[in-house]
Amino acid sequence: MVEEYPRNLTELEADFGTEEACRAYLARLRWPDGFLCPRCGGGRSWPVRGVLLECAACGCQTSVTAGTIFQDTRTPLRVWFRAMWWVTTQKNGASALGLQRVLGLKKYETAWTMLHKLRHAMVRPGRDLLTGRIEVDESYVGGEEEGLPGRLNLKKALVVVAAQEDGPGIGRIRMRQIIDASAESLVPFVRASVEPGSVVHTDGWAGYFPLERNGYPHEVTILKRKKKTPSELLPRVHRVVSLLKRWLLGTHQGAVSQKHLDYYLDEFTFRFNRRRSKSRGKLFFRLAQQAVAVDPVPYDQIVHPNRRKAKPQSVGVT
Ligand SMILES: [Zn+2]
């Protein structure tokens, strides 16, 4: 599909002034080769009452938003589109309070829920693994942060980060909250984030030792006579962690709870990995594209992410 996106706010307003225009755009993103029935795979449909599509083959009714993060929303798509625009065009992202103000939403919860759903869409299903040389290290986030103003309203949480080496700089990253620094926590993270055969560079912590037999050439750097600090040892990971902390303290003013931290890590990663993208509109396009590609997140699962996740209905009607 041709990448089609607004280049500025004026174009956004002109292109997405109606629910119909928003729905048509989402349909082009979701079904670039034309309608695909979620039940039978049929390719022909009839519109029903404007919003629904009825499959010509099996008669099932669906909509472009069913089975996406927009499922069951009571917020107009026009408002969603403006939220996506705001989130992707603000250099440091948006807080729920900021979004509520700019969209003129009555309830804070509406802005908060939209942002969490959008963060969910920032993780691309089946995204590529990092390749090349990868630094991996874990770090505590939360509480009083040394050298940074303010305080994270978050008990200490352990976050593991993988950062692709790009010369002296940083390529793409992945990160996740883990319960401890055991091999059982660290190795699955590396396997989910890094292509086997890539060199993984860590400190001398034993939790990383099984990497070698999991197919990763493992490079270990250990502190020699304490001449170097840990941040010099794995400088990329530590730069990422320090940017993450600044972002949590700045944009979100530290108001991030531990059970929701993963959503924030996803947003941070999405932004970081696209930080060199010159076109903000392209970020909007990516987010909209992913929003119709991921499963819906029920409100209950956003609020209580650690509860057993119910498999959402794949065929639903909004
Ligand atoms: Zn069908």
Side-chain angles (χ1 to χ4, degrees), residues 37 40 55 58:
C37 171
C40 77
C55 172
C58 76

Side-chain angles (χ1 to χ4, degrees), residues 35-44 54-61:
F35 173 80
L36 198 68
C37 171
R39 187 194 280 166
C40 77
R44 284 198 311 133
E54 186 175 303
C55 172
C58 76
C60 109
Q61 292 190 341

Side-chain angles (χ1 to χ4, degrees), residues 293-310:
V294 299
D295 281 338
V297 242
Y299 178 75
D300 204 47
Q301 189 185 311
I302 293 176
V303 181
H304 309 287
N306 299 328
R307 275 192 203 158
R308 183 90 192 90
K309 289 170 189 171

Side-chain angles (χ1 to χ4, degrees), residues 87-232:
V87 165
T88 48
T89 50
Q90 297 301 299
K91 186 166 175 285
N92 292 312
S95 68
L97 197 60
L99 187 68
Q100 183 195 3
R101 282 187 189 140
V102 76
L103 295 179
L105 300 170
K106 276 199 206 92
K107 293 200 320 206
Y108 174 82
E109 287 71 32
T110 310
W112 188 89
T113 310
M114 287 174 91
L115 276 179
H116 273 307
K117 289 187 174 181
L118 290 174
R119 287 184 185 115
H120 177 74
M122 289 176 186
V123 186
R124 185 155 55 94
R127 60 185 174 179
D128 340 322
L129 302 173
L130 304 181
T131 54
R133 279 176 57 88
I134 317 291
E135 276 181 18
V136 178
D137 202 2
E138 68 301 330
S139 175
Y140 281 100
V141 173
E144 204 96 42
E145 294 291 355
E146 233 174 280
L148 290 175
R151 191 186 160 77
L152 274 169
N153 184 19
L154 174 77
K155 273 191 278 173
K156 290 257 174 215
L158 193 58
V159 173
V160 57
V161 178
Q164 198 174 35
E165 295 186 13
D166 180 10
I170 309 169
R172 290 182 303 145
I173 60 166
R174 295 276 186 265
M175 54 173 70
R176 179 195 285 180
Q177 193 178 177
I178 47 176
I179 50 164
D180 58 28
S182 67
E184 288 71 29
S185 299
L186 296 170
V187 175
F189 166 73
V190 172
R191 291 172 55 113
S193 314
V194 184
E195 185 82 30
S198 311
V199 177
V200 177
H201 183 192
T202 72
D203 61 17
W205 172 244
Y208 294 109
F209 289 172
L211 283 178
E212 196 78 49
R213 68 177 133 79
N214 278 273
Y216 298 96
H218 185 200
E219 189 177 307
V220 178
T221 309
I222 46 171
L223 285 174
K224 285 184 194 131
R225 284 164 294 160
K226 302 213 189 274
K227 266 192 188 154
K228 288 187 163 183
T229 61
S231 58
E232 290 169 284

